[in-house]
Amino acid sequence: MILLWPSRQSSFGATFTVVENIVAASMLGRAALILIGTKVEHPGSVGLLGIAVLVWFGDTT
């Protein structure tokens, strides 16, 4: 739901930038914790890392 809302907005404000940075940082942090905690055995870390990268790329365009 959080990712759907920004994709539908035509104008982005400062609030969106803050939310975007929070989502990207939290997904990257969670991916790192899962990678370290499971010794790279859990595939969920790849999904979280993918979300973080996609949110970051969405911010740069």
Side-chain angles (χ1 to χ4, degrees):
M1 191 86 173
I2 287 177
L3 297 176
L4 183 61
W5 169 75
S7 69
R8 300 288 182 188
Q9 301 297 319
S10 60
S11 62
F12 303 122
T15 303
F16 177 73
T17 304
V18 171
V19 170
E20 193 172 54
N21 290 336
I22 290 171
V23 169
S26 67
M27 293 299 157
L28 186 61
R30 289 175 185 175
L33 285 174
I34 291 173
L35 279 171
I36 293 168
T38 63
K39 299 177 184 163
V40 196
E41 293 180 3
H42 195 277
S45 60
V46 176
L48 292 173
L49 185 60
I51 291 171
V53 168
L54 289 175
V55 170
W56 182 74
F57 278 143
D59 184 35
T60 59
T61 60

